Amino acid sequence: MSDNSVSLSRWLIEQQRTHGQIPASLRLLIEQVARACKRINRAVNRGATSGILGSLGSENVQGEVQKQLDVIANDVLLEANEWGGHLAAMASEELERIHVIPHRFPRGEYLLMFDPLDGSSNIEVNVTIGTIFSVLHLDEGVEEVEARHFLQPGRRQVAAGYCTYGPQTTLVLTLGQGVSVFTLDAEQGSFVLVQEGLRIPESTREFAINMSNMRHWAPPVRRYIDECLAGTEGPRGKDFNMRWIASMVADVHRVLQRGGVFMYPWDRREPDRAGKLRLLYEANPMALLVEQAGGLAIAGTQRILDIQPTELHQRAAVMLGSREEVERLRLYHQEYEASAAA
Ligand code: AHM
Ligand code: MG
């Protein structure tokens, strides 16, 4: 780390002191999350040498097979954030119910939600995975914290971010005033600021979607992708490129860095389910980051950040990224709804 580099700790203290943007308790919360991410990173890095790869034979609340690392990452985040006095409760993809801070610790004013290890189908094949997190304020006057206190629209998030475990360990963070990127300096053991005020290019020629589900998509999504695939000969008049890593953290990171659209839309495989991804700890934090970087995030005609959650583990359709493309997707959904209603 060079002398003039800025560590995450220093950057957070400056946000608190100079810019008055965050209270000390939120700074401590983010530091604890970052510390937990470093520990998860070490577990991920050790791969098969640690003896903790593979499935547990159990399922989480979503009915998905749990990997040993999913559970370890979950435990690391719970343990790291329990005692600091900044939280009232936590919720996780891996826990059916919320985790209320035990009475032996002081209770704080924030709620933390996370997907401890996103993209865990990629663990064994050594492809980038990550942790996604979202922070809400607990409403004032609440005595006993319950799951319903987490059911706030995403626009009320006070902080959101993710950490990727890949070629680089990178923490991407918003406190609601733009997006900053920190890369882990492994020798120093600290996250170092590498980008501030990140902006997503407004137009793009790249999309990310699992094409194997094409036959199940709704007409507006099909229309958008068909037009991309038609390339220079189609209505878009340009060729598009496609990428799909199957780790939302990695796909969204690419979109934030060089533009593009990421989509996991509703599809007919499970018509009663809004989508595959979870609203509170996957869609919302990514939507806030993308919008803070000048992009847009929608579920169809509705902005993701405006969805009023009704359940802790509810799903959402997700379409996010470069503003011009996501506006176009929203228009296609509006036109389809109008024609269906006519
Ligand atoms: P997970 O949280 O259980 O890992 O599932 C979420 C992941 C996302 O990271 C990724 O975008 C998506 O599932 C990939 O799904 P698919 O395998 O259907 O392409
Ligand atoms: Mg996930």
Side-chain angles (χ1 to χ4, degrees), residues 18 45 59 72 100-101 118-119 144 149 162 166 171 202 223 278 304 319 327:
T18 321
N45 280 174
E59 285 185 352
I72 289 169
V100 178
I101 300 300
D118 178 61
E144 293 293 323
H149 298 119
Y162 63 82
L171 182 74
E202 287 200 1
R223 174 182 172 191
R278 275 59 48 131
I304 288 175
M319 288 162 260
E327 292 280 16

Side-chain angles (χ1 to χ4, degrees), residues 5-20:
S5 63
V6 175
S7 67
L8 174 67
S9 301
R10 178 174 162 186
W11 184 85
L12 285 168
I13 284 175
E14 284 171 0
Q15 299 304 306
Q16 182 194 336
R17 201 168 49 199
T18 321
H19 309 295

Side-chain angles (χ1 to χ4, degrees), residues 64 93 115 118-120 210 244 246-248 262 264 276-278 282:
E64 297 156 345
E93 179 179 321
D115 176 355
D118 178 61
S120 48
N210 185 337
W244 185 248
S247 284
M248 189 194 202
F262 169 89
Y264 214 118
K276 175 181 180 181
L277 300 172
R278 275 59 48 131
E282 292 181 320

Side-chain angles (χ1 to χ4, degrees), residues 32-97:
Q32 279 308 113
V33 170
R35 206 161 288 154
C37 289
K38 284 193 260 184
R39 284 176 57 193
I40 298 169
N41 181 54
R42 283 199 294 277
V44 169
N45 280 174
R46 290 179 63 207
T49 66
S50 64
I52 53 169
L53 290 197
S55 300
L56 274 175
S58 55
E59 285 185 352
N60 66 11
V61 61
Q62 341 273 339
E64 297 156 345
V65 174
Q66 283 183 308
K67 303 282 178 75
Q68 293 190 64
L69 269 176
D70 281 325
V71 174
I72 289 169
N74 187 59
D75 290 348
V76 166
L77 280 156
L78 290 179
E79 194 276 328
N81 287 288
E82 213 175 37
W83 47 267
H86 43 265
L87 283 180
M90 292 181 254
S92 164
E93 179 179 321
E94 303 301 333
L95 298 175
E96 183 175 357
R97 296 172 200 283

Side-chain angles (χ1 to χ4, degrees), residues 202-273:
E202 287 200 1
S203 51
T204 179
R205 291 164 177 246
E206 198 163 77
F207 63 87
I209 193 165
N210 185 337
M211 289 288 289
S212 66
N213 300 324
M214 188 170 201
R215 67 190 185 287
H216 307 297
W217 295 338
V221 175
R222 185 82 191 232
R223 174 182 172 191
Y224 177 82
I225 296 294
D226 279 347
E227 290 181 3
C228 293
L229 295 176
T232 47
E233 290 122 58
R236 303 299 308 273
K238 58 182 183 180
D239 289 331
F240 280 77
N241 189 24
M242 196 201 85
R243 289 286 183 273
W244 185 248
I245 301 174
S247 284
M248 189 194 202
V249 278
D251 279 312
V252 171
H253 192 65
R254 184 190 59 255
V255 167
L256 280 168
Q257 290 293 339
R258 72 173 187 212
V261 198
F262 169 89
M263 284 176 268
Y264 214 118
W266 170 90
D267 68 48
R268 274 191 204 88
R269 286 174 299 170
E270 291 190 61
D272 297 335
R273 203 171 80 165

